[in-house]
Amino acid sequence: MLALAITAALGLAGPAASAAPGAPSISWSSCNRDLGPFECGTVQVPLDYSDPSGAAISIAVVRLPAADPARRIGSLFINPGGPGGSGVDFALFAAPFLFSSEVRAKFDIVGFDPRGVARSTALRCFGTAKQWTPLFTPFAFPSNPEEEAVWQAADLYLDGACAQRGGKIIDHMATADVARDLDALRAAVGDTRLTYAGYSYGTYLGVTYANLFPSRVRAVIVDGVLDPIAWSTGVGNEGTTIPFSTRLHSDLGAQATLNEFFRLCDAGVGCAFAPNSASRFAALGARLRQGPITIIDPSTGQAFEFNYSLLILQALIGMYNSSSWPFLAAFFAALEASASATQLGASLNSLDESTGFITKRGFPNYRNNVEAFPAIACSDSDNPDSYAAWSQQGALADQNDGYFGRIWTWISSICAKWPGSDEARYVGPFTRTTANPVLVIGNQFDPATRYQGAVTVHGLLPNSALLTVHGWGHTSLFLSACVDAAVSAYLLRVAVPASGTVCEQDVVPFAPTLATRLGSRDASRARARAALTPNALAQPRD
């Protein structure tokens, strides 16, 4: 009786949970058995929640059932961010590694593709991936008027294709609609309240849900936190003058993390780019500004020109996963030493393997990444309507903040003329009191969602707890046993860490214990972390 009383008090679904009357249903079937005992299904939800009896769309879901069904608490929904990332893929490849064995025993881990994305009813602006060709540029961001013109033409090509072929879904992809879908999924699996873990952009989904449905929060983790005000409207007139990706100040977080890379490289052991790594990187950047270096991928024999913008992109991607830093240092050293084109390619491939991120230099299978990112981000956010704002703000951020101002600014330029919009978007307030506390997790050195975003959300949500991680990389995933324990306690018992708690990263980069080879489990975790890379960085631009 005590167990039943606790279950009822916390709003948990019991072992035999079923959808409430009137809730959407899921018919589960076995799938992806080579990866684990997964089950897949779909849920029908309204295209437009203001017209619930109108057109319906499909949301693709996958679950890894609780390992101990007799002790099952409920469903734990996960989202990898992006925006536009596949939660189905995230669950299939990361679910076995994300949480403790006790959490795995008591929760079904459920991933879903947000509306408009991948296996769900998808926004598709092209017939095949080969039609993306005009989107590709030989640089990761523009640095002069000529490159800006090329970049703008690529954006306008995508705008035109989506205006012509996007269909109705393009105007119904804001995060608020995804949050409403998430609430429908919660009801479909029979949970009275939501248990959720969102990473990177997935934190904006979690914060939006918490403010739209505060009474239905059981346990919501937001890890690698976006400032929701900066993401949506900015302050004052920022929405019409400063792109949302500049307002977030991710460039400051990336620069702070890169400075730590230099510090730990010079002070540690086994760093191929020590000593004086900061000045050597500056010299390498200056050299690449004078002209590109040819690199040959030894696995394909393909050559490409590695320019200054790609150096900054590679540095940014490297900052996402500090376990990859020895490989990043080796690649920088090889560039500096003018290694052969094939040697550079081998070093870059090793770096890509260590990060779990393989730079796309060809035509991957069509997964609608190029459409999904702007359809969500531009629908959510206020932005200038002139490319002059991106040029001005990118140059200013580079001048004031370091290497990453332009790359983080231009990531959102597609919003200047994006043809879609969503009247159902949510722009606050972000200050609702939730039924249970929200757990906010932030790394002090995060290159994408800087620590200040976590501090801001903790200040906005009255019923929240902040867990600080003294660590390096994007989100806390796979960094700290201390964080893992806190997450488990929260998910299992809704117990939050004491105020002021700081968790240390288990392995300090360039410490003697840092592994120099990836095991299979490490590689799987690297791939899971790579899923947190924004789609606009991961999409092909070359």
Side-chain angles (χ1 to χ4, degrees), residues 250-265:
S250 297
D251 61 321
L252 289 173
Q255 186 63 46
T257 310
L258 181 63
N259 291 341
E260 284 291 286
F261 168 84
F262 295 144
R263 181 183 70 84
L264 293 167
C265 173

PDB file of all heavy atoms in Angstrom, residues 250-265:
ATOM      1  N   SER A 250      26.782  31.873 -27.731  1.00  0.00           N
ATOM      2  CA  SER A 250      27.503  30.599 -27.761  1.00  0.00           C
ATOM      3  C   SER A 250      28.972  30.807 -28.103  1.00  0.00           C
ATOM      4  O   SER A 250      29.827  29.997 -27.705  1.00  0.00           O
ATOM      5  CB  SER A 250      26.864  29.658 -28.780  1.00  0.00           C
ATOM      6  OG  SER A 250      25.536  29.347 -28.425  1.00  0.00           O
ATOM      7  N   ASP A 251      29.261  31.869 -28.837  1.00  0.00           N
ATOM      8  CA  ASP A 251      30.655  32.137 -29.194  1.00  0.00           C
ATOM      9  C   ASP A 251      31.510  32.385 -27.961  1.00  0.00           C
ATOM     10  O   ASP A 251      32.681  32.001 -27.925  1.00  0.00           O
ATOM     11  CB  ASP A 251      30.747  33.317 -30.169  1.00  0.00           C
ATOM     12  CG  ASP A 251      30.195  34.608 -29.595  1.00  0.00           C
ATOM     13  OD1 ASP A 251      29.161  34.573 -28.892  1.00  0.00           O
ATOM     14  OD2 ASP A 251      30.782  35.675 -29.855  1.00  0.00           O
ATOM     15  N   LEU A 252      30.917  32.994 -26.931  1.00  0.00           N
ATOM     16  CA  LEU A 252      31.667  33.208 -25.689  1.00  0.00           C
ATOM     17  C   LEU A 252      31.953  31.880 -24.995  1.00  0.00           C
ATOM     18  O   LEU A 252      33.049  31.662 -24.472  1.00  0.00           O
ATOM     19  CB  LEU A 252      30.875  34.128 -24.762  1.00  0.00           C
ATOM     20  CG  LEU A 252      30.779  35.595 -25.175  1.00  0.00           C
ATOM     21  CD1 LEU A 252      29.828  36.342 -24.245  1.00  0.00           C
ATOM     22  CD2 LEU A 252      32.155  36.250 -25.158  1.00  0.00           C
ATOM     23  N   GLY A 253      30.950  30.989 -24.989  1.00  0.00           N
ATOM     24  CA  GLY A 253      31.168  29.675 -24.393  1.00  0.00           C
ATOM     25  C   GLY A 253      32.207  28.875 -25.155  1.00  0.00           C
ATOM     26  O   GLY A 253      33.048  28.186 -24.561  1.00  0.00           O
ATOM     27  N   ALA A 254      32.174  28.971 -26.490  1.00  0.00           N
ATOM     28  CA  ALA A 254      33.147  28.244 -27.301  1.00  0.00           C
ATOM     29  C   ALA A 254      34.553  28.787 -27.081  1.00  0.00           C
ATOM     30  O   ALA A 254      35.526  28.012 -26.985  1.00  0.00           O
ATOM     31  CB  ALA A 254      32.762  28.332 -28.776  1.00  0.00           C
ATOM     32  N   GLN A 255      34.693  30.113 -27.000  1.00  0.00           N
ATOM     33  CA  GLN A 255      36.010  30.698 -26.794  1.00  0.00           C
ATOM     34  C   GLN A 255      36.566  30.340 -25.418  1.00  0.00           C
ATOM     35  O   GLN A 255      37.749  30.013 -25.277  1.00  0.00           O
ATOM     36  CB  GLN A 255      35.956  32.213 -26.953  1.00  0.00           C
ATOM     37  CG  GLN A 255      37.318  32.887 -26.904  1.00  0.00           C
ATOM     38  CD  GLN A 255      38.224  32.452 -28.043  1.00  0.00           C
ATOM     39  OE1 GLN A 255      37.790  32.413 -29.192  1.00  0.00           O
ATOM     40  NE2 GLN A 255      39.462  32.094 -27.729  1.00  0.00           N
ATOM     41  N   ALA A 256      35.706  30.371 -24.399  1.00  0.00           N
ATOM     42  CA  ALA A 256      36.152  29.994 -23.056  1.00  0.00           C
ATOM     43  C   ALA A 256      36.617  28.541 -23.024  1.00  0.00           C
ATOM     44  O   ALA A 256      37.615  28.207 -22.362  1.00  0.00           O
ATOM     45  CB  ALA A 256      35.021  30.212 -22.050  1.00  0.00           C
ATOM     46  N   THR A 257      35.914  27.669 -23.755  1.00  0.00           N
ATOM     47  CA  THR A 257      36.301  26.261 -23.796  1.00  0.00           C
ATOM     48  C   THR A 257      37.610  26.083 -24.556  1.00  0.00           C
ATOM     49  O   THR A 257      38.482  25.303 -24.135  1.00  0.00           O
ATOM     50  CB  THR A 257      35.183  25.428 -24.440  1.00  0.00           C
ATOM     51  OG1 THR A 257      33.935  25.736 -23.819  1.00  0.00           O
ATOM     52  CG2 THR A 257      35.457  23.946 -24.278  1.00  0.00           C
ATOM     53  N   LEU A 258      37.772  26.802 -25.667  1.00  0.00           N
ATOM     54  CA  LEU A 258      39.027  26.724 -26.417  1.00  0.00           C
ATOM     55  C   LEU A 258      40.196  27.234 -25.573  1.00  0.00           C
ATOM     56  O   LEU A 258      41.299  26.655 -25.609  1.00  0.00           O
ATOM     57  CB  LEU A 258      38.932  27.535 -27.705  1.00  0.00           C
ATOM     58  CG  LEU A 258      40.176  27.508 -28.604  1.00  0.00           C
ATOM     59  CD1 LEU A 258      40.457  26.095 -29.115  1.00  0.00           C
ATOM     60  CD2 LEU A 258      40.012  28.484 -29.772  1.00  0.00           C
ATOM     61  N   ASN A 259      39.970  28.280 -24.790  1.00  0.00           N
ATOM     62  CA  ASN A 259      41.027  28.774 -23.899  1.00  0.00           C
ATOM     63  C   ASN A 259      41.434  27.709 -22.885  1.00  0.00           C
ATOM     64  O   ASN A 259      42.618  27.593 -22.520  1.00  0.00           O
ATOM     65  CB  ASN A 259      40.572  30.046 -23.184  1.00  0.00           C
ATOM     66  CG  ASN A 259      40.443  31.234 -24.110  1.00  0.00           C
ATOM     67  OD1 ASN A 259      40.997  31.246 -25.211  1.00  0.00           O
ATOM     68  ND2 ASN A 259      39.702  32.256 -23.687  1.00  0.00           N
ATOM     69  N   GLU A 260      40.455  26.923 -22.435  1.00  0.00           N
ATOM     70  CA  GLU A 260      40.755  25.821 -21.527  1.00  0.00           C
ATOM     71  C   GLU A 260      41.536  24.726 -22.252  1.00  0.00           C
ATOM     72  O   GLU A 260      42.432  24.102 -21.667  1.00  0.00           O
ATOM     73  CB  GLU A 260      39.460  25.256 -20.936  1.00  0.00           C
ATOM     74  CG  GLU A 260      38.847  26.118 -19.862  1.00  0.00           C
ATOM     75  CD  GLU A 260      39.697  26.127 -18.606  1.00  0.00           C
ATOM     76  OE1 GLU A 260      39.701  25.117 -17.877  1.00  0.00           O
ATOM     77  OE2 GLU A 260      40.385  27.138 -18.362  1.00  0.00           O
ATOM     78  N   PHE A 261      41.189  24.464 -23.495  1.00  0.00           N
ATOM     79  CA  PHE A 261      41.963  23.516 -24.297  1.00  0.00           C
ATOM     80  C   PHE A 261      43.433  23.946 -24.333  1.00  0.00           C
ATOM     81  O   PHE A 261      44.341  23.126 -24.107  1.00  0.00           O
ATOM     82  CB  PHE A 261      41.388  23.445 -25.710  1.00  0.00           C
ATOM     83  CG  PHE A 261      42.262  22.737 -26.710  1.00  0.00           C
ATOM     84  CD1 PHE A 261      42.242  21.356 -26.833  1.00  0.00           C
ATOM     85  CD2 PHE A 261      43.115  23.460 -27.537  1.00  0.00           C
ATOM     86  CE1 PHE A 261      43.049  20.701 -27.756  1.00  0.00           C
ATOM     87  CE2 PHE A 261      43.925  22.818 -28.471  1.00  0.00           C
ATOM     88  CZ  PHE A 261      43.898  21.436 -28.577  1.00  0.00           C
ATOM     89  N   PHE A 262      43.680  25.216 -24.609  1.00  0.00           N
ATOM     90  CA  PHE A 262      45.064  25.708 -24.648  1.00  0.00           C
ATOM     91  C   PHE A 262      45.730  25.566 -23.285  1.00  0.00           C
ATOM     92  O   PHE A 262      46.873  25.097 -23.187  1.00  0.00           O
ATOM     93  CB  PHE A 262      45.082  27.181 -25.068  1.00  0.00           C
ATOM     94  CG  PHE A 262      44.595  27.447 -26.471  1.00  0.00           C
ATOM     95  CD1 PHE A 262      43.867  28.596 -26.761  1.00  0.00           C
ATOM     96  CD2 PHE A 262      44.861  26.560 -27.502  1.00  0.00           C
ATOM     97  CE1 PHE A 262      43.423  28.864 -28.046  1.00  0.00           C
ATOM     98  CE2 PHE A 262      44.423  26.810 -28.799  1.00  0.00           C
ATOM     99  CZ  PHE A 262      43.691  27.974 -29.070  1.00  0.00           C
ATOM    100  N   ARG A 263      45.022  25.940 -22.222  1.00  0.00           N
ATOM    101  CA  ARG A 263      45.608  25.895 -20.882  1.00  0.00           C
ATOM    102  C   ARG A 263      45.957  24.467 -20.470  1.00  0.00           C
ATOM    103  O   ARG A 263      47.075  24.200 -19.990  1.00  0.00           O
ATOM    104  CB  ARG A 263      44.630  26.503 -19.866  1.00  0.00           C
ATOM    105  CG  ARG A 263      45.151  26.527 -18.426  1.00  0.00           C
ATOM    106  CD  ARG A 263      44.114  27.076 -17.463  1.00  0.00           C
ATOM    107  NE  ARG A 263      42.993  26.185 -17.264  1.00  0.00           N
ATOM    108  CZ  ARG A 263      42.977  25.167 -16.406  1.00  0.00           C
ATOM    109  NH1 ARG A 263      44.063  24.873 -15.679  1.00  0.00           N
ATOM    110  NH2 ARG A 263      41.899  24.414 -16.269  1.00  0.00           N
ATOM    111  N   LEU A 264      45.005  23.565 -20.670  1.00  0.00           N
ATOM    112  CA  LEU A 264      45.235  22.185 -20.247  1.00  0.00           C
ATOM    113  C   LEU A 264      46.236  21.479 -21.143  1.00  0.00           C
ATOM    114  O   LEU A 264      47.002  20.619 -20.677  1.00  0.00           O
ATOM    115  CB  LEU A 264      43.899  21.434 -20.228  1.00  0.00           C
ATOM    116  CG  LEU A 264      42.906  21.921 -19.167  1.00  0.00           C
ATOM    117  CD1 LEU A 264      41.510  21.363 -19.426  1.00  0.00           C
ATOM    118  CD2 LEU A 264      43.375  21.556 -17.770  1.00  0.00           C
ATOM    119  N   CYS A 265      46.255  21.831 -22.421  1.00  0.00           N
ATOM    120  CA  CYS A 265      47.261  21.287 -23.339  1.00  0.00           C
ATOM    121  C   CYS A 265      48.665  21.653 -22.875  1.00  0.00           C
ATOM    122  O   CYS A 265      49.553  20.793 -22.789  1.00  0.00           O
ATOM    123  CB  CYS A 265      46.995  21.808 -24.746  1.00  0.00           C
ATOM    124  SG  CYS A 265      48.260  21.405 -25.967  1.00  0.00           S
TER     125      CYS A 265
END
